[in-house]
Amino acid sequence: MAVHGEMLVFFVLSVLAFGITSHGYGGNNIGVTYDARSLIINGKRELLFSGSIHYPRSTPEMWPDILDKARRGGLNVIQTYVFWNVHEPVEGQFNFEGNYDLVKFIKLIAEKKMYVTLRVGPFIQAEWNHGGLPYWLREKPNIIFRSYNSQFKHYMKKYVTMVIDMMKENKLFAPQGGPIILAQIENEYNHVQLAYDELGVQYVQWAANMAVGLGVGVPWIMCKQKDAPDPVINTCNGRHCGDTFTGPNKPYKPSLWTENWTAQYRVFGDPPSQRSAEDIAFSVARFFSKNGSLVNYYMYYGGTNFGRTSAVFTTTRYYDEAPLDEFGLQREPKWSHLRDVHKALNLCKKPLLWGTPGTQVMGKGLEARIYEKSGTNICAAFLANNDTKSAQTITFRGREYLLPPRSISILPDCKTVVYNTQTIVSQHNARNFIPSKVATNFKWKMSPEPIPTIQQVPVNNKIPLELYSLLKDTTDYGWYTTSFELEKEDVSKRPDILPVLRIASLGHAILVFVNGEYMGTAHGSHEEKNFVFQKSVPLRAGINNIALLGMTVGLPDSGAYMEHRFAGPRFITILGLNTGTLDISKNGWGHQVGLNGEKVKAFTQGGSHRVNWSEIKEEKTALTWFKTYFDAPEGNDPVAIRMNGMGKGQIWVNGKSIGRYWMSYLSPLKMPTQSEYHIPRTFIKPSENLLVILEEENHTPEKVEIVLVNRDIICSFITEYHPPNVKSWERKDKQFRAVIDDVKTGAHLQCPHDKKITSIEFASYGDPSGVCGNYQHGKCHSSSDTQKLVEQHCLGKENCSVPIDAFNNFKNECDEKTLAIQAKCSA
């Protein structure tokens, strides 16, 4: 391999950092280099299938199962950010415990025989509070985030060096025998670079040089950074990098895809986010067919934004539509269809990494991309139909191939179709939320949060203070109090004409109380944080007290000049008085950070005894704490709480926050964006579990329920034209061959761990339609005979296969024969 000057510098830095000899560090560990085709890990080329799994978004007890499922899904790399603000919430005070134990997480990945891409940031975005930057950084004098600014550079270098030193001390980089093969500095900086002009250009150069100078022995990357300085590799983020990526900025760098979005994160007020398994598989096959060598799924497992860790307006559930859902359950067919494309591409590994690429146009929107090594039988082909509406038949090397609309067929020997991106032969499933039979019959108690006046929270500033700087990210809640006096002449004597209180706020939400009575709430949105509260209020002659509870819903996580974002009430006026409009913005305001219930930790066992609790009253009040106890739900399935009938607030179980909920903010579909909230099993004791809810609005929890989560409904939906499953082939002893003599198309079903198929709920051979969990018979079908045959193959088994040719003798008049099966699994 020719070594370019920049690559030589990178390798020399590796040698200086780790003392690598020609024999490598600790045996054969000679580090990670690259050329135009791929990364070269310890001297070997690799096709890399990666998934983003963030350690703070699950519990350590969940990590082994999640990583096992990732490995079984065909991944050989795990990508994670490093989250500065959870590791250093207070300057100089570090936390690497529990689900923040980065070293433990990386070592566990190594135990599972996978590599790691470490995205150090320190800005990460990730829909994480403040983009991962600690709040205290914002208050450093004259700081400008992500710019060639002396303050930011100082703290960034100090933090990045601390993280890298920790990885080195634990021997986690590849030259040390560890799993880390790539490291990332910064994150999608091209999005904001122009805002900083020349300081942005200088910052990119400085950040790259600073990172490379740390001598980690593995390549550094910058995602979405076209001008990434050598030897840093620029990488692609997006949905279709096979078509949108302009390519590496130097001819000797490989094509790497650091974020293939498996759906879209959701914010409160959003409808469901969808991206089909077929579309993702098409994008992956296309990228590898065009010289790609690494793809990372963002996210592969999204998890949960526990506590107050989510970014502005972002839901507590994160990337639930990923191949592994929030609860760590396999979302089918996404998980298995992607597993199969990894298998198909691995069957093409030798041609892809060592063959000569070529492209053959087969017609309009039709092409064949071929990797072939002259004089050998090493050959792989990707046959693509880019027409989104019509199937096409093409002739390639003397054989005909049917290509469904917008699909790619993979031929590891340039002859045999082992996989088509549009044709799913793996199973489907449906998620179920089942009310617990044990964690029920709640006995709720309530404790209203006291509403302060200026007597309890006296005036300390002429105008309302800015909310971010008031709270300093220690709580979501800040009180603003004031009072004013009205004469009898000021107030209308007509009961149908009341004065109007108008509050213009920079975000994010507000609760309004007048003379101790709840007047209502208002909020902004992810797209527009500003809002105006406006409502008629019953003012009286004499002293009137106003208490506003300003609320944040996460800090911003993206954009330029994040240190100059603001929130909270700005202008407060009273309209409709007999004497005209009264501006009380400069009336003098008191301020209190946090709620009384937070200060005494009413959500903990000890703190709950410092609060007076009573039975729930018929008259509903806003801003109320509720508590009850429940026993551990039966079985081993994941657990969630369904917040039926509630408005907005937070939830704790045994003192641990499971995040914010928001049921009253409806999507355009007139449904809450998220109704169920994950309670990790490790948060739950066998009995007497303390459940505390802070409800901000005037709702009560009688309809709240604990549910068990499963994906025990499994399905298959195949036609006679589907190819056999890709696991029917292998590449062994330098030969591509079938694993069995008679390769057949069929339905393949697999129950979740330790469960068996206990019933066949639907079976039809003909023209059924629908989706898993909701199939319907078509106009021609053989349902009764189909049911019996499927039961013979599957009942009582953990997994089963039903070949489609078993139905050849069934009579029906359908032109195209389709087999649909829905089975139920039970322990």
Side-chain angles (χ1 to χ4, degrees), residues 338-355:
L338 296 180
R339 174 203 61 195
D340 291 350
V341 76
H342 305 150
K343 171 72 171 176
L345 289 167
N346 273 323
L347 290 172
C348 305
K349 181 176 180 178
K350 188 163 286 188
L352 281 172
L353 292 176
W354 300 105

Side-chain angles (χ1 to χ4, degrees), residues 556-786:
D557 69 328
S558 61
Y561 299 105
M562 280 173 48
E563 69 281 359
H564 295 308
R565 309 290 178 82
F566 306 105
R570 304 301 292 163
F571 303 106
I572 303 99
T573 53
I574 310 291
L575 292 75
L577 296 173
N578 289 341
T579 47
T581 298
L582 176 62
D583 186 347
I584 57 173
S585 305
K586 300 179 180 179
N587 193 56
W589 290 81
H591 302 84
Q592 176 182 297
V593 176
L595 304 176
N596 286 357
E598 290 180 296
K599 292 175 182 177
V600 302
K601 297 186 176 181
F603 45 83
T604 65
Q605 188 63 45
S608 67
H609 296 301
R610 302 187 189 102
V611 175
N612 293 321
W613 301 94
S614 63
E615 301 295 327
I616 293 181
K617 301 171 184 176
E618 289 187 15
E619 182 180 352
K620 297 180 179 180
T621 58
L623 201 59
T624 301
W625 298 84
F626 296 96
K627 79 164 184 177
T628 191
Y629 290 89
F630 67 94
D631 291 338
E634 62 275 20
N636 298 308
D637 287 336
V639 180
I641 181 170
R642 180 177 279 156
M643 299 301 289
N644 294 334
M646 301 302 281
K648 177 180 180 294
Q650 298 186 45
I651 313 165
W652 293 264
V653 173
N654 293 324
K656 296 181 179 179
S657 173
I658 64 171
R660 304 180 180 102
Y661 70 90
W662 202 344
M663 299 288 287
S664 58
Y665 192 173
L666 303 183
S667 78
L669 303 179
K670 306 300 180 185
M671 298 285 288
T673 302
Q674 179 180 347
S675 296
E676 296 85 17
Y677 294 79
H678 182 205
I679 306 174
R681 280 274 183 182
T682 53
F683 287 12
I684 301 174
K685 304 182 297 183
S687 61
E688 289 294 301
N689 293 281
L690 175 63
L691 170 60
V692 174
I693 298 172
L694 171 62
E695 168 59 36
E696 298 164 12
E697 301 173 7
N698 53 345
H699 298 271
T700 52
E702 291 89 349
K703 296 180 181 179
V704 168
E705 58 183 349
I706 301 291
V707 296
L708 297 167
V709 190
N710 67 52
R711 289 186 177 269
D712 290 348
I713 302 299
I714 59 174
C715 305
S716 181
F717 193 88
I718 60 170
T719 75
E720 56 189 325
Y721 299 109
H722 279 49
N725 192 285
V726 66
K727 63 184 178 182
S728 303
W729 291 275
E730 66 179 1
R731 189 174 289 277
K732 191 174 183 180
D733 299 328
K734 299 182 180 180
Q735 297 292 321
F736 170 76
R737 65 187 186 186
V739 176
I740 55 176
D741 294 333
D742 189 13
V743 177
K744 296 181 178 181
T745 296
H748 306 281
L749 297 173
Q750 172 74 55
C751 282
H753 184 61
D754 289 337
K755 294 183 180 181
K756 295 181 178 181
I757 296 172
T758 53
S759 66
I760 303 300
E761 298 183 336
F762 182 95
S764 178
Y765 180 65
D767 61 344
S769 61
V771 296
C772 187
N774 190 27
Y775 286 132
Q776 296 92 36
H777 292 293
K779 294 181 180 178
C780 58
H781 63 91
S782 306
S783 59
S784 58
D785 293 337
T786 303

